[in-house]
């Protein structure tokens, strides 16, 4: 009797009830019947439902570790539902957006796009074989004797943009390795096909982890290696997917930069920079808003002041990285700064959350991970993930 009563409820009534439920309950209620599942994952329900906040995650060895802000603990979430169905020894998260994760395997050009909430996934292979209409040649790499993992500079940049209305996504890949001709390729999940995009501006190499998507654009940092007469120079690249256009901004090189990261902040992209004087003392933590001109592809930087106590907190951390660089992520008005260190059997990460509107900061519980592989393979595995039931794979 109860099941028949629930089944007979008008859709608008169910819609109102579902809107009041927490996200975890919606995930379970998808299994009740086909009609409920279709309503919960419909774009109309997603647009009217309360937007989900991003969750801080760490990925390692086919396992996501998510921070539960309510219970203030770290929780594990397995991705074993597709582990046995692809031929891959390693996975790295290279992009996230709109409820999807994009992984890179040890095979050049093999990407896996996954929605861990709906447990749906798809292998997206970058065209990399001669004879195809357009392709991105694989670079010459050698394998680590210790981990059987490719060594050298990152082989390509990967960006991910999800349409919040339709749930479809685009994967953007670009390469600067020798022989790649600075190619840009774009995969559209709606047509399940690749197209060739504009060439990347001249450059040397992409940074390992500084690639983020925001407002239909992909941003990344590249740098020229240090030469005999000059210091390394950072440059910011921006790819507008709809306009198929790259733009470039050279960053000032007159100061000594000990830390530079791309972060999302209040709906736009920012640079978080720590500058020091010639003696590498007197640090300043700066935040620059990256503004895009509305009628052209140009960019400019606008400095935002950061309270001194944030700089003191960040620069005076007792725990300094040994094998790791510091990392930073942003979402809304929060910026997460992470510093990790290793001991004989584990990796310990200290996380500080900076809240600019409240002018406050606090520490999250430490994340301790046992060392099951080379420490260098644990770098840059923190991401912000927004759970979604509507992102299609």
């Amino acid at each position: 009797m109860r099941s028949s009563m629930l089944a007979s409820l008008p859709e608008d009534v169910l819609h109102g009830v579902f809107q009041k439920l927490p996200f975890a309950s919606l995930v379970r209620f998808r299994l009740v019947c086909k009609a409920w599942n279709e309503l919960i994952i419909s774009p109309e329900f997603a647009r009217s439902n309360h937007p989900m906040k991003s969750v801080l995650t760490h990925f390692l060895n086919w396992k996501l570790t998510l921070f539960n802000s309510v219970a203030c603990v770290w929780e594990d979430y397995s991705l074993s539902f597709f582990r046995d169905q692809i031929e891959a020894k390693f996975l790295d998260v290279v992009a996230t957006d709109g409820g999807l994760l994009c992984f890179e395997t040890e095979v050049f050009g093999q990407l896996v796009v996954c929605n861990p909430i709906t447990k749906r996934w798809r292998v997206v292979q970058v065209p990399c074989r001669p004879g195809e209409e357009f392709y991105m040649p694989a670079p010459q790499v050698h394998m680590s004797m210790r981990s059987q993992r490719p060594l050298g500079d990152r082989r390509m940049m990967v960006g991910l943009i999800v349409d919040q209305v339709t749930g479809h996504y685009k994967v953007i890949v670009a390469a600067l390795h020798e022989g790649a001709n600075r190619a840009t390729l774009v995969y559209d999940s709606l047509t399940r096909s690749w197209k060739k995009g504009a060439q990347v501006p001249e450059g040397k190499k992409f940074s390992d982890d500084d690639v983020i998507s925001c407002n239909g654009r992909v941003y990344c940092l590249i740098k020229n290696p240090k030469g005999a007469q000059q210091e390394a120079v950072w440059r910011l690249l921006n790819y507008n997917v709809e306009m198929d256009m790259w733009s470039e901004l050279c960053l000032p090189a007159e100061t000594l930069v000990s830390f530079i990261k791309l972060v999302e902040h209040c709906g736009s992209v920012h640079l978080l920079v720590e500058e020091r004087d010639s003696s590498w003392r007197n640090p300043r933590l700066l935040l620059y808003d990256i503004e895009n001109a509305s009628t052209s592809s140009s960019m400019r930087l606008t400095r935002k002041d950061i309270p001194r106590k944030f700089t003191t907190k960040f620069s005076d951390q007792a725990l300094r990285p040994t094998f790791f660089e510091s990392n930073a992520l942003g979402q809304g008005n929060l910026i997460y700064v992470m510093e990790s260190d290793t001991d004989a059997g584990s990796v310990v990460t200290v996380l500080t959350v900076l809240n600019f509107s409240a002018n406050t900061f606090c520490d999250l519980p430490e994340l301790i991970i046992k060392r099951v592989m080379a420490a260098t393979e644990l770098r840059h595995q923190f991401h912000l993930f927004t759970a979604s039931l509507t992102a299609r794979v």
Side-chain angles (χ1 to χ4, degrees), residues 41-105:
I41 67 175
S42 67
E44 294 76 19
F45 179 76
R47 285 194 295 268
S48 62
N49 201 11
H50 299 295
M52 295 297 298
K53 292 183 178 180
S54 294
V55 178
L56 188 64
T57 65
H58 178 273
F59 176 77
L60 176 66
N61 197 26
W62 295 85
K63 181 178 67 176
L64 285 174
T65 303
L66 295 84
F67 180 69
N68 185 330
S69 60
V70 176
C72 203
V73 295
W74 292 93
E75 299 176 343
D76 292 338
Y77 186 91
S78 175
L79 298 178
S80 59
F81 57 87
F82 72 92
R83 179 172 188 173
D84 297 332
Q85 301 183 54
I86 64 172
E87 296 182 2
K89 297 179 180 179
F90 304 102
L91 284 181
D92 280 333
V93 178
V94 290
T96 67
D97 190 50
L100 298 182
L101 299 172
C102 184
F103 300 93
E104 181 182 51
T105 74

Side-chain angles (χ1 to χ4, degrees), residues 224-327:
N224 298 329
K226 294 182 179 180
Q229 302 295 329
Q230 63 178 7
E231 294 293 327
V233 177
W234 287 96
R235 291 190 286 172
L236 177 68
L237 296 183
N238 164 337
Y239 180 65
N240 187 316
V241 179
E242 294 302 320
M243 297 180 64
D244 185 26
M245 180 183 297
W246 285 92
S247 55
E248 179 181 8
L249 177 67
C250 290
L251 304 181
E254 62 272 11
T255 55
L256 296 175
V257 176
S258 59
F259 175 88
I260 179 170
K261 292 294 176 181
L262 281 174
V263 297
E264 186 270 322
H265 181 60
C266 296
S268 61
V269 178
H270 289 67
L271 276 173
L272 185 65
V273 179
E274 185 189 47
E275 296 181 351
R276 295 177 181 267
D277 59 23
S278 58
S279 64
W280 288 97
R281 298 177 182 272
N282 303 317
R284 294 192 304 164
L285 191 61
L286 308 175
L287 188 68
Y288 291 95
D289 185 6
I290 301 170
E291 300 181 7
N292 295 282
S294 58
T295 58
S296 69
S297 60
S298 63
M299 295 181 287
R300 59 179 180 268
L301 298 180
T302 302
R303 177 175 167 178
K304 292 185 175 181
D305 292 330
I306 294 182
R308 178 67 184 177
K309 63 179 182 179
F310 289 168
T311 299
T312 303
K313 168 64 178 178
F314 175 74
S315 302
D316 293 347
Q317 285 277 14
L319 183 61
R320 304 304 298 181
T322 302
F323 294 99
F324 296 73
E325 294 178 359
S326 300
N327 199 2

Side-chain angles (χ1 to χ4, degrees), residues 117-134:
I117 304 302
T118 62
K119 296 188 177 180
R120 295 185 178 275
W121 57 277
R122 177 179 299 277
V123 174
V124 177
Q125 178 63 49
V126 177
C128 55
R129 297 177 181 176
E132 300 182 83
E133 180 181 0
F134 45 80

Side-chain angles (χ1 to χ4, degrees), residues 325-345:
E325 294 178 359
S326 300
N327 199 2
L329 299 168
Q331 190 273 329
N333 199 47
L334 302 180
I335 291 182
Y336 300 83
V337 178
M338 292 144 280
E339 292 192 304
S340 301
D341 203 357
T342 62
D343 58 24

Side-chain angles (χ1 to χ4, degrees), residues 90 142-151 374 377:
F90 304 102
H142 61 281
M143 304 297 290
S144 164
M145 296 297 294
R146 181 175 183 178
S147 66
Q148 291 301 300
R149 212 176 152 81
L151 295 178
E377 297 187 16

